[in-house]
Amino acid sequence: MSEYFSNIKTGAVTIATGMGITLKHFFNAVKRKGDAGVDDADYFRQVDGLCTLQYPREVIPTPVNGRYRLHNNIEDCIGCGQCVRACPISCITMETIKVTNDDLAVCGKTSNGQQKKFWVPVFDIDVAKCMTCGICVSVCPTECLVHTPVSDFSEFDRQNMIYHFGNLTRMEAEAKRRKAAEQQAQAVKEKQAAAAKAAAENGGQQA
């Protein structure tokens, strides 16, 4: 019989303790923790207050060293392709077009002064496949490929998860391809002409 009443007492105490904790949080909820954000370093130190975030206006702070959605500063991209080769899941697609000699000034230089020698009409990142390993970022020689603090994103259409960073439109890319092909053909002709001239001169000397 004593055990029976003891169990009732234990249950009542447990319920009262739980309700006390619940009421404490209930009354503390009239206070706000404040807007959470990436720069709010003290967010997790706030114990009391309403903890529900008003998403998407408020977000959980992301660590400074966190690896999240990739971004390519195409103005600094030299089209070397190291990121494409390094990606273990092939989520980066890139196409390049060699810059003709008269277009070097138009193509420009990177922010550190390196001359760009390739147009990059296609630089696509499939973020739905990206596992944020950071290998592509570590091998990028111009540091144009970076992880951003954006960690919370979704789309209704799968194709919208592919981010495009190319620096030419489709029509511009076609024009640059034709121009590069013409320059290459002209270089081949000049090389063949020089070889023929050298052969003729050698033949004349032997005679």
Side-chain angles (χ1 to χ4, degrees):
M1 183 65 74
S2 61
E3 184 178 356
Y4 173 76
F5 287 107
S6 176
N7 290 339
I8 293 176
K9 178 182 177 182
T10 302
V13 171
T14 302
I15 293 173
T17 303
M19 288 302 296
I21 296 173
T22 301
L23 288 172
K24 177 184 177 183
H25 287 291
F26 178 79
F27 289 116
N28 282 336
V30 297
K31 298 180 293 184
R32 287 304 312 269
K33 279 190 173 185
D35 292 345
V38 176
D39 298 326
D40 193 353
D42 294 328
Y43 175 76
F44 292 106
R45 298 177 186 173
Q46 301 174 89
V47 179
D48 295 329
L50 185 64
C51 61
T52 302
L53 295 178
Q54 302 302 310
Y55 184 83
R57 185 174 60 85
E58 299 175 339
V59 295
I60 292 290
T62 55
V64 177
N65 60 346
R67 296 195 300 263
Y68 299 105
R69 191 169 71 188
L70 282 170
H71 173 79
N72 183 28
N73 181 9
I74 196 64
E75 297 303 320
D76 275 347
C77 181
I78 58 175
C80 65
Q82 291 194 45
C83 55
V84 178
R85 292 188 291 272
C87 181
I89 53 174
S90 303
C91 72
I92 301 176
T93 303
M94 182 172 68
E95 293 180 14
T96 59
I97 303 171
K98 188 173 177 59
V99 178
T100 56
N101 295 331
D102 58 337
D103 263 354
L104 287 173
V106 178
C107 189
K109 301 179 180 180
T110 63
S111 57
N112 63 1
Q114 182 177 353
Q115 175 63 52
K116 294 190 288 185
K117 298 181 180 179
F118 291 95
W119 297 104
V120 187
V122 176
F123 193 107
D124 295 347
I125 302 176
D126 190 341
V127 296
K129 293 170 60 178
C130 178
M131 59 183 186
T132 64
C133 64
I135 297 177
C136 59
V137 174
S138 64
V139 300
C140 181
T142 60
E143 299 182 352
C144 67
L145 198 59
V146 296
H147 284 286
T148 66
V150 181
S151 60
D152 210 3
F153 51 95
S154 61
E155 297 286 350
F156 288 104
D157 189 343
R158 170 69 177 75
Q159 291 301 312
N160 291 336
M161 299 296 285
I162 301 176
Y163 288 76
H164 309 282
F165 297 97
N167 57 10
L168 292 177
T169 65
R170 184 175 298 179
M171 294 182 62
E172 290 173 338
E174 288 298 327
K176 299 298 182 186
R177 286 191 186 96
R178 288 195 297 269
K179 194 172 183 179
E182 291 171 0
Q183 180 176 282
Q184 185 176 7
Q186 181 64 29
V188 170
K189 287 181 181 179
E190 292 175 356
K191 186 176 181 180
Q192 291 174 343
K197 182 178 180 182
E201 291 175 353
N202 290 336
Q205 290 175 0
Q206 290 177 357

